[in-house]
Amino acid sequence: MAIHAAEAIKMHRGAALPALRSLPLHWPPPRSTALSRTACMVAGAAATTGEDDSSSQISEWAKQESLVVTKGPHVKVAGKTLNPCGLFICILTMSVCACCYPPLLLSYALSRVFDNKKRRMVDYIVNIWAKMSMLLCTYRPKVTGLEHLPHTDEAFMFIPNHTSFLDIFSMSGFVPRRMKYISKIEILRIPLIGWAMQFAGHIAIRRMDRRSQMQTFKDAITTLENGNSVVTFAEGTRSKDGKLKKFKKGPFKMSSKAGVRIIPVSICNMYRWMPSSALLPVAFPRQVEIKLHAPVETAGRDEAEVSKEVFGIINRGLPPYQQAAPGAVV
């Protein structure tokens, strides 16, 4: 039974929620299902709270989910989906990276002599590479909350949700702040891309190695104290279903120890373009939004309290289908 999102909110509040729960909810929604999962969640919430002014919210998210991402012709590589679009994006980004290497190597050499702690020249080349790669893929995310970035060189800890390696390209290319990433060692070993990250002074971690984790902790604090902003994904790894997952303690200990504020970041709708079942993006991203939230103070505060606050801020900024399940442990 097909139900349009606009009609769902008009259902009687007592009958709306059971009716919506009876519908098949899965992601991505099949073309024959006219009511998306998001519309179900928003309409159900409106039915239980008695809010009748949610039709615009439903329409907005229904519009964003109206484009069903399909794999098209594809093959399986190591159990992951790979299609022509993903292969094109991979070749394009590697090609742009290769073209950036002459100025990148020059910038690295100069930075080692004149700016070894920040390596800003390398950061600018990486920014150009990330932005050009995404623009050539006809992808440009909407970035909101730029007013929360002060016009100073204050270092921040950026904590976004994580669903795709495109999160890194999006942050590096379109957030006007030079940043270092805490990334698993396997990424930094990728030819060209990983080397560029090493030149810029990004921080490696071996997730299963306790000694490496301690060294990463020290390196991150040093990087922050040197005036660099750092990006770390507090979930520890990509979300397999797009929903926000429980945070690790490390990023909040780092922030507190270095005495820097945290900027929570909600990256919306990236999961649909590169689900966990895909080796590379299955289509050119659209309708992606990066929401920069107001800085969260860490000085003199309990780390668990800060973690809970940041989790809530990021979660509320995500579309309903990406929000953590009710009662999820923070």
Side-chain angles (χ1 to χ4, degrees), residues 247-311:
F247 283 172
K248 305 290 185 181
K249 298 177 181 179
F252 305 96
K253 292 181 179 293
M254 294 173 192
S255 304
S256 179
K257 184 73 172 178
V260 300
R261 297 190 289 170
I262 294 173
I263 293 188
V265 183
S266 301
I267 302 179
C268 307
N269 290 321
M270 185 66 81
Y271 175 75
R272 66 202 309 210
W273 308 102
M274 189 177 171
S276 56
S277 60
L279 181 65
L280 293 167
V282 296
F284 298 125
R286 296 288 185 273
Q287 300 169 333
V288 173
E289 182 176 1
I290 300 174
K291 298 179 181 178
L292 304 174
H293 302 285
V296 174
E297 297 288 346
T298 62
R301 297 184 60 189
D302 179 70
E303 293 157 8
E305 176 189 343
V306 175
S307 175
K308 185 175 182 179
E309 180 179 350
V310 172
F311 185 95

Side-chain angles (χ1 to χ4, degrees), residues 8 28 38-39 63 67-68 82 98-100 109 130 155 176 180 193 214 216 235 256-257 259 271 280 311 327 329:
T38 299
K63 178 181 178 182
L67 178 61
V68 178
L82 175 63
C99 292
C100 289
K180 313 297 184 183
I193 293 177
M214 293 302 297
T216 298
E235 295 161 283
S256 179
K257 184 73 172 178
Y271 175 75
L280 293 167
F311 185 95
V329 178

Side-chain angles (χ1 to χ4, degrees), residues 206-224:
R206 295 178 178 87
R207 289 184 296 188
M208 304 306 294
D209 185 336
R210 179 64 178 171
R211 182 177 298 178
S212 172
Q213 293 174 7
M214 293 302 297
Q215 186 59 49
T216 298
F217 185 85
K218 295 176 182 178
D219 291 344
I221 292 173
T222 300
T223 299
L224 289 164

Side-chain angles (χ1 to χ4, degrees), residues 134-316:
M134 297 297 95
L135 291 177
L136 289 172
C137 291
T138 68
Y139 161 59
R140 187 185 187 99
K142 178 182 178 182
V143 181
T144 59
L146 292 175
E147 67 275 9
H148 298 310
L149 297 179
H151 300 293
T152 65
D153 291 330
E154 178 183 355
F156 290 99
M157 176 71 82
F158 287 83
I159 298 184
N161 59 301
H162 189 32
T163 62
S164 163
F165 76 81
L166 290 179
D167 297 337
I168 298 175
F169 277 87
S170 300
M171 292 282 291
S172 297
F174 299 99
V175 175
R177 201 81 173 192
R178 307 288 74 82
M179 300 169 286
K180 313 297 184 183
Y181 289 82
I182 297 177
S183 180
K184 59 183 181 180
I185 188 66
E186 292 82 2
I187 298 296
L188 272 66
R189 289 173 176 166
I190 297 175
L192 297 180
I193 293 177
W195 301 341
M197 294 178 70
Q198 292 184 52
F199 292 154
H202 294 254
I203 304 164
I205 183 172
R206 295 178 178 87
R207 289 184 296 188
M208 304 306 294
D209 185 336
R210 179 64 178 171
R211 182 177 298 178
S212 172
Q213 293 174 7
M214 293 302 297
Q215 186 59 49
T216 298
F217 185 85
K218 295 176 182 178
D219 291 344
I221 292 173
T222 300
T223 299
L224 289 164
E225 291 176 341
N226 287 339
N228 296 291
S229 290
V230 171
V231 179
T232 182
F233 300 104
E235 295 161 283
T237 188
R238 289 171 51 186
S239 171
K240 293 184 178 180
D241 60 3
K243 293 181 179 296
L244 189 63
K245 301 303 181 186
K246 180 181 178 180
F247 283 172
K248 305 290 185 181
K249 298 177 181 179
F252 305 96
K253 292 181 179 293
M254 294 173 192
S255 304
S256 179
K257 184 73 172 178
V260 300
R261 297 190 289 170
I262 294 173
I263 293 188
V265 183
S266 301
I267 302 179
C268 307
N269 290 321
M270 185 66 81
Y271 175 75
R272 66 202 309 210
W273 308 102
M274 189 177 171
S276 56
S277 60
L279 181 65
L280 293 167
V282 296
F284 298 125
R286 296 288 185 273
Q287 300 169 333
V288 173
E289 182 176 1
I290 300 174
K291 298 179 181 178
L292 304 174
H293 302 285
V296 174
E297 297 288 346
T298 62
R301 297 184 60 189
D302 179 70
E303 293 157 8
E305 176 189 343
V306 175
S307 175
K308 185 175 182 179
E309 180 179 350
V310 172
F311 185 95
I313 292 171
I314 295 174
N315 196 49
R316 289 190 295 273

